[in-house]
Amino acid sequence: MLACHDLYKIFQQHELTYFCGVPDSTFKDWMSFLDDRHGEGLTNRIVTGERDAIGWAAGYYAATGKPGVVYMQNSGLGNIVNPVTSLLDAAIYNIPALLMVGWRGQPDQPDEPQHKKMGTVTQELLQMLDIRFSILPDSLQDAERIIAEANEYMTTTRKPYALIVQKKTFEKYTKQMKPQKSFDMTREDALKILLDNLHEEDIVIATTGKASREVFEHREAAAFGHQNDFLMVGSMGLASSFAAEIALQKPDHKVYILDGDGALLMNAGVLSTIGYYAPSNLFHVVIDNQAYDSTGGQPTTSSTVDLVQMALANNYKEAVEVSSASELQDVLSRTQHQSCPSMLVINVNSGARSDLGRPTTSPIENKLAFMDQWSEQ
Ligand SMILES: Cc1ncc(C[n+]2csc(CCOP(=O)(O)OP(=O)(O)O)c2C)c(N)n1
C-alpha cells in the first residue's frame, strides 16, 4: 500500500501540487492528507462537482502552465464528459490534467449496486474519451514509474491522463482534528425525528450516501415498511429533481426531499427550477453537516453559504434553519400551515454509527414497492 506522504513526494517532484475534485471513499486517506496539507506547499480545492473541478484545473493550467490533479469517484466520470470533450480536448484547447479516478464497482469485487455499471465501463469510457490511463500501482516504485510516464505524456501531448485508483491502495492516514462547530444532533438523530413526525401518506425521497442507509434502518426498526421511501442510492444531487416532479404529479401528498448539503450544492441549479414550478406540497429538507460525510467527512463549501437565503432568492415560499431537536420538533408541528415549496435546513454534526447497515432490498425492489404504492393513485 502507498503512504500518502510518499506518494505526494512523487507528485511534488513533477510539480504536481494543485489538487481539486469531489471526494471518494476509495481514497479517503489521500483526501484527508491533501486537506491537512492544503496551504503548506500544495493547494487542495474541494469543489461541488466533478464537472466544475475540470474548470478549476483548466483555469490553473491557463494561469501557471502546470497541469492540475483532479480527483473523483468513477461515478463522476459521466459528469466530466462535456468539459473533457469541449475544454480539455486536443482539438479544442488541448489542456492536460491528471485525473485520479476511484474505481467503485470494480468487476469481481463486492460493491453497492449503483456502482456496478460504471465499474464495468470505467476503462472503456476513458478510452472513448481519448484519455490514456493506468491503474495506480500500490507499490511506491511502480507508482513512481507510472506517474513519471503520465507526466511525460502530459508534457509532450498536453492531453489528460488518468490514474485509476483501486480500493486499499492507500495506507491509513489519521486526519488532524480541526475545531468544528458542535450541534445537538447527528444526521441520524435528525432523520429519526423527522420520519417519526411524518404521516402515513407522506412521500420521502432520500439522497445518496449514509442518509438513505439511515432512513432504511429506521423504517426497519419502526416496522413501517419502505413503500413511502425512494432511496436514491446513486445519482448524487438528483433526489431533489426527482422529488419535485413527484410532488407536481401528486399534489395531494406532502413530498419530503431528504437532501445533503453536498448533494444540494452539486445540483444547486435545481433550486431555481423548483422555485419556478413551485410545487405547493414540496418540503426540501437539507441535513447540513458541512461535509461530504459519506465519503469520509471532507468539508463542503456550505459553511460559507446561507442556504435559507438561497432558497428564498429562488422563490421558495418559506425557509428556516434549525440547530436543535426541540427547534426541529417545533417546525415539524407547524408543517400544516407552511407555504411550499419550503426549505428546512437542519444543522447537525458530521459522523455516523460505525455499524450502520445497507439496504437489504435492491434498487429495483425499492422502485417497485414505491410505484405499487404511488403510481396508480
Ligand atoms: C457524481 C458523484 N460524485 C461523488 C459521489 C461520491 N459520494 C457519495 S455520497 C457523497 C457525499 C454526499 O455528501 P452530502 O450530500 O453532504 O451528504 P452526507 O454524506 O454529508 O450525508 C459523495 C461525494 C457520488 N456518489 N456521485
Side-chain angles (χ1 to χ4, degrees), residues 269-330:
V270 76
L271 292 175
S272 69
T273 326
I274 290 177
Y276 185 82
Y277 290 105
S280 59
N281 51 339
L282 186 67
F283 295 80
H284 196 162
V285 180
V286 185
I287 318 253
D288 187 0
N289 49 21
Q290 302 191 351
Y292 292 113
D293 183 56
S294 303
T295 48
Q298 305 82 6
T300 62
T301 53
S302 97
S303 61
T304 51
V305 176
D306 187 334
L307 291 172
V308 165
Q309 288 305 324
M310 256 175 95
L312 294 173
N314 280 288
N315 202 35
Y316 279 50
K317 305 299 175 212
E318 287 187 35
V320 287
E321 184 171 351
V322 298
S323 299
S324 70
S326 58
E327 284 173 357
L328 176 58
Q329 289 279 9
D330 187 47

Short mmCIF file of all heavy atoms in Angstrom, two decimals, residues 269-330:
data_model
loop_
_atom_site.label_atom_id
_atom_site.label_comp_id
_atom_site.label_asym_id
_atom_site.label_seq_id
_atom_site.Cartn_x
_atom_site.Cartn_y
_atom_site.Cartn_z
N GLY A 269 -28.53 24.38 -9.09
CA GLY A 269 -29.46 24.94 -10.08
C GLY A 269 -30.89 24.46 -9.89
O GLY A 269 -31.84 25.12 -10.31
N VAL A 270 -31.03 23.31 -9.22
CA VAL A 270 -32.38 22.76 -9.01
C VAL A 270 -33.24 23.71 -8.19
O VAL A 270 -34.47 23.73 -8.34
CB VAL A 270 -32.30 21.36 -8.33
CG1 VAL A 270 -31.99 21.49 -6.84
CG2 VAL A 270 -33.58 20.57 -8.53
N LEU A 271 -32.62 24.53 -7.36
CA LEU A 271 -33.41 25.46 -6.53
C LEU A 271 -34.24 26.40 -7.41
O LEU A 271 -35.40 26.67 -7.13
CB LEU A 271 -32.49 26.28 -5.63
CG LEU A 271 -31.76 25.50 -4.53
CD1 LEU A 271 -30.79 26.42 -3.80
CD2 LEU A 271 -32.75 24.90 -3.55
N SER A 272 -33.62 26.87 -8.49
CA SER A 272 -34.35 27.80 -9.35
C SER A 272 -35.48 27.08 -10.08
O SER A 272 -36.55 27.64 -10.27
CB SER A 272 -33.40 28.49 -10.34
OG SER A 272 -32.94 27.57 -11.28
N THR A 273 -35.24 25.84 -10.46
CA THR A 273 -36.30 25.10 -11.18
C THR A 273 -37.45 24.78 -10.23
O THR A 273 -38.63 24.89 -10.61
CB THR A 273 -35.74 23.80 -11.79
OG1 THR A 273 -34.39 24.01 -12.18
CG2 THR A 273 -36.56 23.36 -12.97
N ILE A 274 -37.11 24.40 -9.01
CA ILE A 274 -38.17 24.14 -8.02
C ILE A 274 -38.93 25.44 -7.75
O ILE A 274 -40.17 25.47 -7.74
CB ILE A 274 -37.58 23.55 -6.72
CG1 ILE A 274 -37.09 22.12 -6.96
CG2 ILE A 274 -38.61 23.58 -5.58
CD1 ILE A 274 -36.41 21.45 -5.78
N GLY A 275 -38.20 26.54 -7.58
CA GLY A 275 -38.86 27.82 -7.32
C GLY A 275 -39.76 28.23 -8.48
O GLY A 275 -40.83 28.81 -8.29
N TYR A 276 -39.33 27.92 -9.68
CA TYR A 276 -40.08 28.31 -10.88
C TYR A 276 -41.39 27.53 -11.00
O TYR A 276 -42.45 28.10 -11.23
CB TYR A 276 -39.19 28.08 -12.10
CG TYR A 276 -39.79 28.55 -13.40
CD1 TYR A 276 -39.72 29.90 -13.77
CD2 TYR A 276 -40.44 27.67 -14.26
CE1 TYR A 276 -40.27 30.34 -14.96
CE2 TYR A 276 -41.00 28.11 -15.44
CZ TYR A 276 -40.91 29.45 -15.80
OH TYR A 276 -41.47 29.88 -16.97
N TYR A 277 -41.30 26.19 -10.82
CA TYR A 277 -42.52 25.37 -10.95
C TYR A 277 -43.29 25.30 -9.63
O TYR A 277 -44.45 24.90 -9.62
CB TYR A 277 -42.16 23.97 -11.47
CG TYR A 277 -41.72 24.05 -12.92
CD1 TYR A 277 -40.38 23.92 -13.27
CD2 TYR A 277 -42.64 24.31 -13.93
CE1 TYR A 277 -39.96 24.04 -14.58
CE2 TYR A 277 -42.23 24.43 -15.25
CZ TYR A 277 -40.90 24.29 -15.58
OH TYR A 277 -40.49 24.43 -16.88
N ALA A 278 -42.64 25.68 -8.57
CA ALA A 278 -43.24 25.91 -7.25
C ALA A 278 -44.25 24.87 -6.78
O ALA A 278 -45.42 25.21 -6.53
CB ALA A 278 -43.86 27.31 -7.24
N PRO A 279 -43.86 23.59 -6.65
CA PRO A 279 -44.81 22.61 -6.12
C PRO A 279 -45.26 23.01 -4.70
O PRO A 279 -44.41 23.25 -3.84
CB PRO A 279 -44.01 21.29 -6.08
CG PRO A 279 -42.64 21.60 -6.56
CD PRO A 279 -42.53 23.02 -6.94
N SER A 280 -46.55 23.07 -4.50
CA SER A 280 -47.07 23.63 -3.25
C SER A 280 -47.12 22.59 -2.14
O SER A 280 -47.67 22.83 -1.08
CB SER A 280 -48.47 24.20 -3.48
OG SER A 280 -49.28 23.13 -3.95
N ASN A 281 -46.55 21.41 -2.41
CA ASN A 281 -46.56 20.32 -1.43
C ASN A 281 -45.14 19.78 -1.19
O ASN A 281 -44.98 18.66 -0.72
CB ASN A 281 -47.45 19.18 -1.94
CG ASN A 281 -47.09 18.77 -3.36
OD1 ASN A 281 -46.46 19.53 -4.10
ND2 ASN A 281 -47.45 17.56 -3.75
N LEU A 282 -44.13 20.56 -1.57
CA LEU A 282 -42.74 20.06 -1.52
C LEU A 282 -41.97 20.65 -0.35
O LEU A 282 -41.84 21.88 -0.23
CB LEU A 282 -42.01 20.39 -2.83
CG LEU A 282 -40.61 19.80 -2.95
CD1 LEU A 282 -40.65 18.28 -3.06
CD2 LEU A 282 -39.87 20.38 -4.16
N PHE A 283 -41.46 19.77 0.50
CA PHE A 283 -40.64 20.17 1.65
C PHE A 283 -39.21 19.73 1.40
O PHE A 283 -38.94 18.54 1.33
CB PHE A 283 -41.17 19.51 2.94
CG PHE A 283 -42.54 19.97 3.33
CD1 PHE A 283 -43.66 19.44 2.72
CD2 PHE A 283 -42.70 20.94 4.30
CE1 PHE A 283 -44.93 19.87 3.06
CE2 PHE A 283 -43.96 21.38 4.65
CZ PHE A 283 -45.09 20.85 4.03
N HIS A 284 -38.34 20.69 1.23
CA HIS A 284 -36.94 20.39 0.90
C HIS A 284 -36.13 20.45 2.21
O HIS A 284 -35.85 21.54 2.72
CB HIS A 284 -36.43 21.41 -0.11
CG HIS A 284 -35.18 21.00 -0.80
ND1 HIS A 284 -34.74 21.58 -1.97
CD2 HIS A 284 -34.25 20.06 -0.50
CE1 HIS A 284 -33.61 21.03 -2.35
NE2 HIS A 284 -33.27 20.10 -1.46
N VAL A 285 -35.80 19.29 2.73
CA VAL A 285 -35.06 19.23 3.99
C VAL A 285 -33.58 19.04 3.65
O VAL A 285 -33.22 18.09 2.94
CB VAL A 285 -35.54 18.05 4.86
CG1 VAL A 285 -34.76 17.99 6.17
CG2 VAL A 285 -37.04 18.16 5.12
N VAL A 286 -32.74 19.92 4.14
CA VAL A 286 -31.29 19.78 3.89
C VAL A 286 -30.61 19.50 5.22
O VAL A 286 -30.64 20.31 6.14
CB VAL A 286 -30.69 21.07 3.27
CG1 VAL A 286 -29.23 20.83 2.91
CG2 VAL A 286 -31.48 21.49 2.04
N ILE A 287 -30.02 18.31 5.31
CA ILE A 287 -29.29 17.96 6.53
C ILE A 287 -27.87 18.45 6.33
O ILE A 287 -27.12 17.89 5.53
CB ILE A 287 -29.30 16.43 6.76
CG1 ILE A 287 -30.68 15.86 6.47
CG2 ILE A 287 -28.74 16.08 8.13
CD1 ILE A 287 -31.48 15.45 7.61
N ASP A 288 -27.55 19.53 7.03
CA ASP A 288 -26.30 20.24 6.74
C ASP A 288 -25.24 19.92 7.80
O ASP A 288 -25.26 20.46 8.90
CB ASP A 288 -26.60 21.74 6.70
CG ASP A 288 -25.39 22.55 6.24
OD1 ASP A 288 -24.34 21.94 5.95
OD2 ASP A 288 -25.50 23.79 6.18
N ASN A 289 -24.33 19.01 7.44
CA ASN A 289 -23.21 18.70 8.34
C ASN A 289 -21.92 19.34 7.84
O ASN A 289 -20.83 19.02 8.31
CB ASN A 289 -23.04 17.19 8.52
CG ASN A 289 -23.03 16.47 7.19
OD1 ASN A 289 -22.76 17.09 6.15
ND2 ASN A 289 -23.30 15.19 7.18
N GLN A 290 -22.05 20.22 6.86
CA GLN A 290 -20.91 20.94 6.27
C GLN A 290 -19.83 20.00 5.76
O GLN A 290 -18.65 20.33 5.75
CB GLN A 290 -20.33 21.94 7.27
CG GLN A 290 -21.37 22.95 7.73
CD GLN A 290 -20.80 24.10 8.50
OE1 GLN A 290 -19.61 24.13 8.86
NE2 GLN A 290 -21.63 25.10 8.76
N ALA A 291 -20.27 18.79 5.40
CA ALA A 291 -19.27 17.80 5.00
C ALA A 291 -19.84 16.83 3.97
O ALA A 291 -21.05 16.62 3.89
CB ALA A 291 -18.81 17.00 6.21
N TYR A 292 -18.93 16.23 3.20
CA TYR A 292 -19.24 15.04 2.42
C TYR A 292 -19.04 13.88 3.39
O TYR A 292 -18.04 13.17 3.34
CB TYR A 292 -18.27 14.91 1.25
CG TYR A 292 -18.38 15.95 0.15
CD1 TYR A 292 -17.35 16.88 -0.07
CD2 TYR A 292 -19.47 15.98 -0.71
CE1 TYR A 292 -17.43 17.81 -1.10
CE2 TYR A 292 -19.55 16.92 -1.75
CZ TYR A 292 -18.53 17.82 -1.94
OH TYR A 292 -18.60 18.73 -2.97
N ASP A 293 -19.98 13.74 4.30
CA ASP A 293 -19.77 12.78 5.39
C ASP A 293 -19.64 11.35 4.88
O ASP A 293 -18.82 10.58 5.40
CB ASP A 293 -20.94 12.90 6.38
CG ASP A 293 -20.75 12.00 7.57
OD1 ASP A 293 -19.69 12.14 8.22
OD2 ASP A 293 -21.61 11.16 7.84
N SER A 294 -20.44 11.01 3.90
CA SER A 294 -20.47 9.61 3.44
C SER A 294 -19.16 9.14 2.81
O SER A 294 -18.93 7.95 2.70
CB SER A 294 -21.62 9.40 2.45
OG SER A 294 -22.82 9.79 3.05
N THR A 295 -18.31 10.09 2.38
CA THR A 295 -17.04 9.68 1.78
C THR A 295 -15.86 10.00 2.69
O THR A 295 -14.72 10.04 2.24
CB THR A 295 -16.82 10.36 0.41
OG1 THR A 295 -17.10 11.76 0.54
CG2 THR A 295 -17.71 9.76 -0.64
N GLY A 296 -16.13 10.26 3.96
CA GLY A 296 -15.02 10.45 4.89
C GLY A 296 -15.01 11.78 5.60
O GLY A 296 -14.07 12.08 6.34
N GLY A 297 -16.03 12.62 5.37
CA GLY A 297 -16.16 13.85 6.17
C GLY A 297 -15.36 15.03 5.66
O GLY A 297 -15.10 15.98 6.41
N GLN A 298 -14.99 15.03 4.38
CA GLN A 298 -14.26 16.17 3.84
C GLN A 298 -15.20 17.39 3.81
O GLN A 298 -16.39 17.23 3.56
CB GLN A 298 -13.79 15.86 2.40
CG GLN A 298 -12.96 14.61 2.26
CD GLN A 298 -13.79 13.33 2.18
OE1 GLN A 298 -15.00 13.37 2.12
NE2 GLN A 298 -13.11 12.20 2.18
N PRO A 299 -14.66 18.60 4.05
CA PRO A 299 -15.56 19.77 4.11
C PRO A 299 -16.22 20.09 2.76
O PRO A 299 -15.57 20.00 1.72
CB PRO A 299 -14.64 20.91 4.53
CG PRO A 299 -13.26 20.43 4.26
CD PRO A 299 -13.26 18.94 4.32
N THR A 300 -17.50 20.46 2.81
CA THR A 300 -18.15 21.04 1.63
C THR A 300 -18.02 22.55 1.75
O THR A 300 -17.48 23.05 2.75
CB THR A 300 -19.66 20.70 1.58
OG1 THR A 300 -20.28 21.28 2.74
CG2 THR A 300 -19.90 19.21 1.55
N THR A 301 -18.56 23.26 0.80
CA THR A 301 -18.49 24.73 0.86
C THR A 301 -19.64 25.31 1.67
O THR A 301 -19.79 26.53 1.73
CB THR A 301 -18.53 25.32 -0.57
OG1 THR A 301 -19.69 24.80 -1.25
CG2 THR A 301 -17.28 24.96 -1.36
N SER A 302 -20.45 24.48 2.31
CA SER A 302 -21.69 25.00 2.90
C SER A 302 -21.45 25.95 4.07
O SER A 302 -22.33 26.73 4.42
CB SER A 302 -22.63 23.86 3.30
OG SER A 302 -22.51 23.55 4.64
N SER A 303 -20.24 25.91 4.69
CA SER A 303 -20.02 26.80 5.83
C SER A 303 -20.03 28.27 5.41
O SER A 303 -20.23 29.15 6.24
CB SER A 303 -18.70 26.47 6.52
OG SER A 303 -17.64 26.65 5.62
N THR A 304 -19.83 28.55 4.11
CA THR A 304 -19.87 29.95 3.68
C THR A 304 -21.11 30.24 2.82
O THR A 304 -21.13 31.21 2.06
CB THR A 304 -18.58 30.33 2.89
OG1 THR A 304 -18.36 29.34 1.87
CG2 THR A 304 -17.38 30.38 3.80
N VAL A 305 -22.10 29.36 2.92
CA VAL A 305 -23.33 29.54 2.13
C VAL A 305 -24.50 29.72 3.08
O VAL A 305 -24.61 29.01 4.08
CB VAL A 305 -23.61 28.28 1.27
CG1 VAL A 305 -24.92 28.42 0.53
CG2 VAL A 305 -22.49 28.03 0.28
N ASP A 306 -25.40 30.66 2.76
CA ASP A 306 -26.63 30.79 3.52
C ASP A 306 -27.73 30.10 2.72
O ASP A 306 -28.31 30.66 1.78
CB ASP A 306 -26.94 32.29 3.70
CG ASP A 306 -28.13 32.51 4.62
OD1 ASP A 306 -28.99 31.60 4.71
OD2 ASP A 306 -28.21 33.58 5.23
N LEU A 307 -28.00 28.85 3.06
CA LEU A 307 -28.94 28.04 2.28
C LEU A 307 -30.36 28.60 2.36
O LEU A 307 -31.13 28.51 1.40
CB LEU A 307 -28.91 26.58 2.74
CG LEU A 307 -27.61 25.82 2.43
CD1 LEU A 307 -27.61 24.45 3.11
CD2 LEU A 307 -27.43 25.65 0.93
N VAL A 308 -30.69 29.17 3.52
CA VAL A 308 -32.04 29.75 3.68
C VAL A 308 -32.23 30.89 2.68
O VAL A 308 -33.23 30.96 1.96
CB VAL A 308 -32.23 30.23 5.14
CG1 VAL A 308 -33.43 31.16 5.26
CG2 VAL A 308 -32.38 29.04 6.07
N GLN A 309 -31.23 31.77 2.61
CA GLN A 309 -31.32 32.90 1.66
C GLN A 309 -31.32 32.39 0.22
O GLN A 309 -32.00 32.96 -0.64
CB GLN A 309 -30.16 33.88 1.87
CG GLN A 309 -30.25 34.69 3.14
CD GLN A 309 -31.58 35.45 3.26
OE1 GLN A 309 -32.13 35.94 2.27
NE2 GLN A 309 -32.13 35.50 4.46
N MET A 310 -30.57 31.34 -0.03
CA MET A 310 -30.55 30.79 -1.39
C MET A 310 -31.93 30.32 -1.79
O MET A 310 -32.41 30.55 -2.89
CB MET A 310 -29.59 29.58 -1.44
CG MET A 310 -28.27 29.89 -2.10
SD MET A 310 -27.18 28.48 -1.97
CE MET A 310 -27.45 27.67 -3.53
N ALA A 311 -32.60 29.61 -0.87
CA ALA A 311 -33.93 29.09 -1.17
C ALA A 311 -34.90 30.25 -1.41
O ALA A 311 -35.63 30.27 -2.41
CB ALA A 311 -34.42 28.21 -0.02
N LEU A 312 -34.87 31.24 -0.52
CA LEU A 312 -35.80 32.36 -0.66
C LEU A 312 -35.53 33.14 -1.96
O LEU A 312 -36.47 33.56 -2.65
CB LEU A 312 -35.71 33.28 0.56
CG LEU A 312 -36.17 32.64 1.89
CD1 LEU A 312 -35.88 33.58 3.06
CD2 LEU A 312 -37.66 32.28 1.85
N ALA A 313 -34.26 33.28 -2.29
CA ALA A 313 -33.91 34.01 -3.51
C ALA A 313 -34.37 33.27 -4.76
O ALA A 313 -34.50 33.85 -5.83
CB ALA A 313 -32.40 34.23 -3.57
N ASN A 314 -34.63 31.97 -4.61
CA ASN A 314 -35.08 31.15 -5.75
C ASN A 314 -36.58 30.90 -5.74
O ASN A 314 -37.06 29.97 -6.37
CB ASN A 314 -34.31 29.83 -5.77
CG ASN A 314 -32.93 29.99 -6.38
OD1 ASN A 314 -32.80 30.16 -7.58
ND2 ASN A 314 -31.91 29.97 -5.55
N ASN A 315 -37.30 31.70 -4.97
CA ASN A 315 -38.77 31.66 -4.96
C ASN A 315 -39.37 30.54 -4.11
O ASN A 315 -40.52 30.16 -4.32
CB ASN A 315 -39.33 31.59 -6.40
CG ASN A 315 -40.76 32.06 -6.47
OD1 ASN A 315 -41.14 32.98 -5.73
ND2 ASN A 315 -41.57 31.45 -7.32
N TYR A 316 -38.58 29.98 -3.17
CA TYR A 316 -39.20 29.13 -2.17
C TYR A 316 -40.08 30.06 -1.31
O TYR A 316 -39.71 31.20 -1.06
CB TYR A 316 -38.15 28.44 -1.28
CG TYR A 316 -37.52 27.21 -1.89
CD1 TYR A 316 -37.00 27.21 -3.18
CD2 TYR A 316 -37.43 26.01 -1.17
CE1 TYR A 316 -36.41 26.08 -3.74
CE2 TYR A 316 -36.85 24.87 -1.71
CZ TYR A 316 -36.34 24.91 -3.00
OH TYR A 316 -35.77 23.78 -3.53
N LYS A 317 -41.21 29.55 -0.86
CA LYS A 317 -42.14 30.42 -0.14
C LYS A 317 -41.73 30.61 1.31
O LYS A 317 -42.06 31.60 1.94
CB LYS A 317 -43.57 29.84 -0.18
CG LYS A 317 -44.06 29.56 -1.59
CD LYS A 317 -44.12 30.85 -2.44
CE LYS A 317 -44.49 30.54 -3.87
NZ LYS A 317 -43.88 31.43 -4.84
N GLU A 318 -41.07 29.61 1.87
CA GLU A 318 -40.56 29.73 3.24
C GLU A 318 -39.23 28.99 3.32
O GLU A 318 -39.01 28.03 2.58
CB GLU A 318 -41.52 29.06 4.24
CG GLU A 318 -42.79 29.84 4.48
CD GLU A 318 -43.63 29.24 5.59
OE1 GLU A 318 -43.06 28.72 6.57
OE2 GLU A 318 -44.86 29.29 5.46
N ALA A 319 -38.41 29.41 4.25
CA ALA A 319 -37.16 28.69 4.50
C ALA A 319 -36.72 28.99 5.93
O ALA A 319 -36.70 30.15 6.34
CB ALA A 319 -36.08 29.10 3.52
N VAL A 320 -36.42 27.94 6.68
CA VAL A 320 -35.96 28.14 8.05
C VAL A 320 -34.78 27.21 8.33
O VAL A 320 -34.57 26.20 7.64
CB VAL A 320 -37.05 27.83 9.11
CG1 VAL A 320 -38.12 28.90 9.15
CG2 VAL A 320 -37.65 26.46 8.92
N GLU A 321 -34.06 27.56 9.39
CA GLU A 321 -32.89 26.79 9.78
C GLU A 321 -33.05 26.41 11.24
O GLU A 321 -33.46 27.25 12.04
CB GLU A 321 -31.68 27.70 9.59
CG GLU A 321 -30.36 27.07 9.86
CD GLU A 321 -29.21 28.01 9.43
OE1 GLU A 321 -29.46 29.05 8.79
OE2 GLU A 321 -28.08 27.68 9.79
N VAL A 322 -32.77 25.17 11.59
CA VAL A 322 -32.84 24.77 13.00
C VAL A 322 -31.52 24.08 13.39
O VAL A 322 -30.83 23.52 12.54
CB VAL A 322 -34.02 23.79 13.27
CG1 VAL A 322 -35.36 24.43 12.95
CG2 VAL A 322 -33.86 22.47 12.52
N SER A 323 -31.23 24.15 14.68
CA SER A 323 -29.96 23.57 15.15
C SER A 323 -30.14 22.67 16.35
O SER A 323 -29.15 22.20 16.92
CB SER A 323 -28.98 24.70 15.52
OG SER A 323 -28.72 25.51 14.41
N SER A 324 -31.39 22.43 16.76
CA SER A 324 -31.58 21.56 17.92
C SER A 324 -32.82 20.71 17.70
O SER A 324 -33.69 21.02 16.87
CB SER A 324 -31.76 22.40 19.19
OG SER A 324 -33.01 23.07 19.14
N ALA A 325 -32.92 19.64 18.50
CA ALA A 325 -34.05 18.72 18.38
C ALA A 325 -35.36 19.44 18.70
O ALA A 325 -36.38 19.23 18.03
CB ALA A 325 -33.84 17.54 19.33
N SER A 326 -35.34 20.32 19.69
CA SER A 326 -36.61 20.98 20.06
C SER A 326 -37.05 21.95 18.96
O SER A 326 -38.23 22.03 18.62
CB SER A 326 -36.47 21.69 21.41
OG SER A 326 -35.44 22.61 21.34
N GLU A 327 -36.09 22.66 18.35
CA GLU A 327 -36.45 23.55 17.23
C GLU A 327 -37.01 22.73 16.07
O GLU A 327 -37.97 23.14 15.41
CB GLU A 327 -35.21 24.31 16.74
CG GLU A 327 -34.78 25.45 17.63
CD GLU A 327 -33.43 26.05 17.17
OE1 GLU A 327 -32.82 25.54 16.20
OE2 GLU A 327 -32.99 26.99 17.80
N LEU A 328 -36.42 21.58 15.85
CA LEU A 328 -36.88 20.72 14.75
C LEU A 328 -38.31 20.25 15.01
O LEU A 328 -39.18 20.34 14.13
CB LEU A 328 -35.92 19.53 14.58
CG LEU A 328 -36.30 18.50 13.53
CD1 LEU A 328 -36.45 19.12 12.14
CD2 LEU A 328 -35.24 17.37 13.46
N GLN A 329 -38.56 19.77 16.22
CA GLN A 329 -39.91 19.32 16.60
C GLN A 329 -40.91 20.45 16.38
O GLN A 329 -42.00 20.24 15.86
CB GLN A 329 -39.96 18.93 18.09
CG GLN A 329 -39.23 17.65 18.43
CD GLN A 329 -40.06 16.40 18.12
OE1 GLN A 329 -41.11 16.48 17.49
NE2 GLN A 329 -39.57 15.25 18.54
N ASP A 330 -40.50 21.63 16.79
CA ASP A 330 -41.39 22.79 16.71
C ASP A 330 -41.77 23.08 15.24
O ASP A 330 -42.94 23.26 14.90
CB ASP A 330 -40.66 23.98 17.35
CG ASP A 330 -41.55 25.18 17.45
OD1 ASP A 330 -42.69 25.00 17.91
OD2 ASP A 330 -41.11 26.28 17.05
#
